[in-house]
Amino acid sequence: MYSKYQSIAYRKDIDGLRALAVLSTIAYHAFPNFASGGFIGVDIFFVISGFLITKIIIENLASNSFSFAEFYSRRIRRIFPALFLILVTCYAFGWYALYASEYKKLGLHIAAGAGFVQNFVLLNEIAYFEKNVDTKPLIHLWSLSIEEQFYLLWPAIIWILYKTRINLFGAVLCLVLISFSINIYSIQSDPINAFYSPLSRFWELLVGALCACFSFRNSQDIRQLSQTNLNLFSYIGMLLITIAIFLISAKNSFPGWWALLPTIGTALLISATSEASVNKVFLSNNVMVWLGVISYPLYLWHWILLSFGQIITTGKLSDLYKITLIATAIGLAFLTNRYWECLFRHKGKKVVIFLITTMTLIGYQGWSAYIRDGLDFRHRNILDINGGVLSHNDIECEKKLYSYETFFCKLSYVGQQSIETVLIGDSVAHNSFPGLERYYLSNKKSFVMMGWPGQLPFLQLPYHENYSIESSEKMNRLIVGLSHDENIREVILGMHDIDLNNLQKFQLEKTIEYLISNGKKVILIGPPPPLSFNPIECIGMPPFRPIHNKECIQNVNDIRPEYLNSRIKLKKIAENSNIKFFDTYQQICINNACSVKMENGLVYRTKSYLTISGSQKVFQKFNQ
């Protein structure tokens, strides 16, 4: 059956049209002020794909040589090789150039790209015209995902329509109108969904399918059209595309009605045949045809180079740099087409299985990077030498205080002395331990940190809304146990920057009151201000990632208002309870600036957690 499968007659002008599509897309990505509507190149690709795929299917159905297996194996051999190469390149380069948070997102996009669902991922993530799309190397795979989703469904639909002898042109026209209507409705109610959803985009591929259906049933009528009419089709089609490239912009509601310009223009150029003047002179010239042949790998390569360039230069990619990257993309596209794609183009079942396997593997690797938090071990060593990492537990502490079953337990032990001071809280308590450890060791006192992630150091009653049988009961037992331990003299409370509600405020006040009533000195620690940027940006990530934030200053105006509200409330509670409040904010921030960097490294390790050196610096004045 495979040997009977027929390819349609080759048209040089179609490759030229592909070249026009990819060149307009590149122009928009590199120089949006010049080609403000160049993104419509994707819409040109959609129409071309719908036309070619539908024509292949119809002609093979007519000759009784259509095979679903052969159709999909051809698609796999066509799409997978270059895409796999791009995904592997992004994974490898991102390893050395992206921070963990960025690499985590890239991992998700690699998995989505390999599974052809990138458009669905972007639906819940970012609009195509937002500024920071430049830092997403695989955002352009949304269009490939829509095409593959179309390829998945369309052969079966065409097969059913053909076998049931339903009028193909009329049926496809109805589908065009339905999808276009969804597009028009969505562009008003949900523009991001209108841009990425296959339901609001399929009509563009179906316009190409409509051209294929018309030419199949009316090929003789088309041939009888005068050359003047065909030339007119091509002139109007080229005019519509040109208007779209230079007059449409990101400010327009796209696709919407505006998408009619490139889709109708492309349909007219395709219908004009290769003998029409624009098609013959412009689209069929050797340069355009050559670019059209490599247009698929060129589309894939150009954006990842521009995007990684923007990342490495922190959004300051010069025009010369862009031109160099575009030239590099053209070279890589040629090499990909000539020496990589050809390895798989005319092979059999084993190659198809191999391609599916490799695509699955790179998709899995991307997903693994996503669920493993961007493989943050890649830059841990860099952070370690710039301030150190906070440790959670030590064995001696767990043995000595095992009865409390705390998640983290860290002990600073001096000889045979009993423990006098305990720091309890959620995971943000780790910020205080290195600094407090140094302070208490200098006073030859033992000190311990205990607690659970996310569990505030509050006494909670079973009827309280935030009570948990598992975690709240353990915290209650710890607080009561420490209160009745005669060796404990001080209890320090630490927590994250929560904007306390009335219930939490009540619980904190009652906890302080309970500890004081049992003869304990209570100290309340204010959490350090959260950062609006990742501190690793202050030191870069060799060899490819330079320092992004040289000043390394957190502007107070950019701090979350919830933190500032929390700080005021904690100070007020401490004042009313007549206990000490240690304000870490005052140790980090002066006037309207908070310094994230110091002489021997970083103050912060992440947006909310301090380094060992940072903690020691912050708690230098704890005794004051």
Side-chain angles (χ1 to χ4, degrees):
M1 183 175 288
Y2 292 170
S3 60
K4 294 181 181 179
Y5 197 91
Q6 299 176 2
S7 297
I8 63 174
Y10 174 68
R11 283 179 54 177
K12 293 172 66 175
D13 60 314
I14 296 294
D15 269 333
L17 198 51
R18 283 194 178 110
L20 179 61
V22 76
L23 289 174
S24 64
T25 304
I26 292 173
Y28 171 73
H29 286 155
F31 308 104
N33 293 330
F34 168 70
S36 61
F39 54 83
I40 60 92
V42 170
D43 305 85
I44 297 174
F45 275 127
F46 281 164
V47 178
I48 295 172
S49 296
F51 170 75
L52 293 177
I53 292 304
T54 305
K55 196 168 181 63
I56 288 171
I57 296 172
I58 292 175
E59 291 189 359
N60 278 275
L61 284 170
S63 62
N64 200 30
S65 61
F66 178 73
S67 162
F68 283 102
E70 177 64 5
F71 173 84
Y72 288 116
S73 68
R74 281 173 174 258
R75 290 297 90 206
I76 289 169
R77 294 197 301 271
R78 165 66 174 154
I79 299 296
F80 280 31
L83 178 60
F84 172 78
L85 191 60
I86 292 296
L87 296 180
V88 169
T89 301
C90 285
Y91 186 90
F93 190 80
W95 181 286
Y96 296 102
L98 300 183
Y99 303 133
S101 59
E102 298 167 330
Y103 201 61
K104 177 178 181 178
K105 188 64 69 176
L106 178 67
L108 176 61
H109 287 189
I110 288 173
F116 301 102
V117 291
Q118 176 75 312
N119 56 320
F120 293 123
V121 170
L122 294 172
L123 272 174
N124 302 309
E125 189 174 304
I126 189 172
Y128 183 76
F129 299 113
E130 289 187 19
K131 290 183 178 180
N132 59 346
V133 298
D134 288 350
T135 60
K136 295 182 180 296
L138 293 175
I139 191 173
H140 62 323
L141 296 188
W142 72 269
S143 60
L144 185 61
S145 296
I146 285 180
E147 283 197 15
E148 293 306 301
Q149 290 155 20
F150 180 80
Y151 296 158
L152 186 65
L153 301 172
W154 192 236
I157 294 173
I158 283 288
W159 186 87
I160 292 171
L161 292 174
Y162 188 88
K163 292 298 182 181
T164 54
R165 299 185 181 279
I166 294 175
N167 182 280
L168 282 178
F169 186 86
V172 174
L173 180 60
C174 287
L175 293 175
V176 169
L177 295 175
I178 292 171
S179 179
F180 183 75
S181 299
I182 294 173
N183 155 53
I184 296 301
Y185 173 79
S186 300
I187 201 67
Q188 300 298 328
S189 59
D190 190 352
I192 296 179
N193 186 73
F195 194 91
Y196 290 126
S197 172
L199 294 179
S200 55
R201 283 291 197 165
F202 274 177
W203 70 272
E204 298 180 73
L205 290 113
L206 291 169
V207 166
L210 208 59
C211 293
C213 293
F214 182 80
S215 65
F216 179 72
R217 294 299 183 190
N218 302 278
S219 57
Q220 189 63 34
D221 294 338
I222 293 175
R223 282 194 291 269
Q224 290 178 355
L225 285 174
S226 69
Q227 191 63 43
T228 301
N229 288 330
L230 294 177
N231 289 343
L232 183 62
F233 278 11
S234 68
Y235 286 132
I236 295 174
M238 193 65 204
L239 177 64
L240 292 177
I241 290 175
T242 304
I243 291 173
I245 292 173
F246 293 105
L247 293 187
I248 293 177
S249 73
K251 296 178 182 178
N252 299 116
S253 297
F254 198 88
W257 292 97
W258 290 102
L260 287 173
L261 286 173
T263 49
I264 292 177
T266 305
L268 287 172
L269 282 169
I270 290 173
S271 301
T273 75
S274 58
E275 296 303 313
S277 55
V278 173
N279 301 53
K280 188 174 184 178
V281 176
F282 176 58
L283 297 180
S284 296
N285 78 72
N286 292 336
V287 175
M288 291 295 285
V289 172
W290 182 78
L291 286 171
V293 170
I294 65 170
S295 61
Y296 172 56
L298 179 56
Y299 177 76
L300 295 179
W301 277 114
H302 89 277
W303 178 245
I304 70 166
L305 294 180
L306 289 174
S307 180
F308 276 121
Q310 293 285 8
I311 292 170
I312 291 174
T313 61
T314 63
K316 299 175 182 178
L317 198 61
S318 68
D319 289 347
L320 179 60
Y321 200 165
K322 290 177 182 177
I323 292 171
T324 302
L325 290 177
I326 291 170
T328 303
I330 293 173
L332 289 172
F334 168 72
L335 294 174
T336 301
N337 175 263
R338 181 72 177 270
Y339 298 106
W340 176 249
E341 291 181 310
C342 66
L343 297 176
F344 310 95
R345 192 165 295 149
H346 304 294
K347 307 297 181 181
K349 293 181 181 178
K350 291 183 179 180
V351 163
V352 171
I353 294 172
F354 171 77
L355 290 171
I356 293 173
T357 302
T358 54
M359 189 63 72
T360 302
L361 288 175
I362 188 60
Y364 171 79
Q365 285 298 113
W367 182 252
S368 176
Y370 173 69
I371 63 176
R372 293 168 62 191
D373 292 323
L375 308 180
D376 59 355
F377 62 82
R378 295 173 305 112
H379 65 220
R380 279 183 199 156
N381 290 337
I382 299 173
L383 290 169
D384 288 349
I385 62 177
N386 282 275
V389 58
L390 304 172
S391 58
H392 279 228
N393 295 356
D394 62 52
I395 296 175
E396 188 176 356
C397 185
E398 291 178 335
K399 287 181 179 179
K400 190 173 184 66
L401 300 164
Y402 69 91
S403 61
Y404 289 116
E405 303 178 87
T406 55
F407 184 83
F408 51 82
C409 187
K410 187 72 177 171
L411 179 63
S412 173
Y413 199 62
V414 180
Q416 299 299 317
Q417 291 182 6
S418 59
I419 299 171
E420 295 183 359
T421 303
V422 179
L423 167 65
I424 60 173
D426 56 24
S427 58
V428 177
H430 289 87
N431 284 325
S432 306
F433 182 81
L436 290 175
E437 178 187 35
R438 171 181 282 188
Y439 169 77
Y440 283 103
L441 282 176
S442 66
N443 290 279
K444 298 181 179 180
K445 293 182 179 180
S446 296
F447 169 71
V448 68
M449 173 186 69
M450 305 168 69
W452 295 266
Q455 183 60 43
L456 297 169
F458 300 164
L459 286 171
Q460 298 176 347
L461 298 176
Y463 58 82
H464 287 164
E465 290 180 4
N466 57 352
Y467 181 84
S468 166
I469 295 176
E470 176 65 22
S471 54
S472 299
E473 184 59 35
K474 287 183 178 180
M475 181 60 80
N476 287 348
R477 185 154 50 87
L478 174 61
I479 294 173
V480 172
L482 297 177
S483 298
H484 294 154
D485 189 333
E486 295 180 356
N487 293 317
I488 302 298
R489 296 185 180 183
E490 287 183 334
V491 177
I492 303 174
L493 305 178
M495 68 200 79
H496 64 281
D497 56 307
I498 182 173
D499 189 3
L500 297 171
N501 58 36
N502 290 334
L503 174 58
Q504 292 164 334
K505 181 175 177 293
F506 170 80
Q507 290 171 337
L508 176 56
E509 291 171 337
K510 287 301 178 181
T511 301
I512 294 171
E513 181 183 324
Y514 178 77
L515 290 167
I516 292 175
S517 67
N518 281 277
K520 310 303 177 186
K521 178 183 177 181
V522 181
I523 300 173
L524 190 58
I525 303 289
L531 304 181
S532 58
F533 59 88
N534 194 321
I536 198 172
E537 295 174 6
C538 302
I539 53 177
M541 190 170 166
F544 296 119
R545 194 66 177 269
I547 295 174
H548 174 64
N549 188 343
K550 294 182 179 179
E551 293 185 354
C552 206
I553 296 293
Q554 171 65 53
N555 192 315
V556 171
N557 295 328
D558 295 330
I559 296 175
R560 295 199 316 267
E562 293 83 1
Y563 169 81
L564 301 175
N565 293 335
S566 171
R567 177 172 173 253
I568 294 171
K569 290 179 181 179
L570 290 176
K571 289 178 70 174
K572 189 68 174 178
I573 290 172
E575 182 182 332
N576 292 339
S577 302
N578 197 28
I579 64 171
K580 177 180 178 179
F581 175 71
F582 185 74
D583 190 4
T584 59
Y585 175 91
Q586 288 186 335
Q587 311 305 316
I588 300 172
C589 304
I590 301 175
N591 297 325
N592 289 320
C594 307
S595 180
V596 180
K597 204 170 184 180
M598 53 188 184
E599 290 182 3
N600 59 335
L602 294 171
V603 176
Y604 283 76
R605 182 177 178 82
T606 67
K607 291 182 178 181
S608 299
Y609 290 88
L610 304 177
T611 61
I612 292 175
S613 299
S615 176
Q616 291 170 346
K617 177 180 183 295
V618 168
F619 283 87
Q620 281 178 345
K621 298 180 180 180
F622 183 70
N623 61 337
Q624 296 180 7

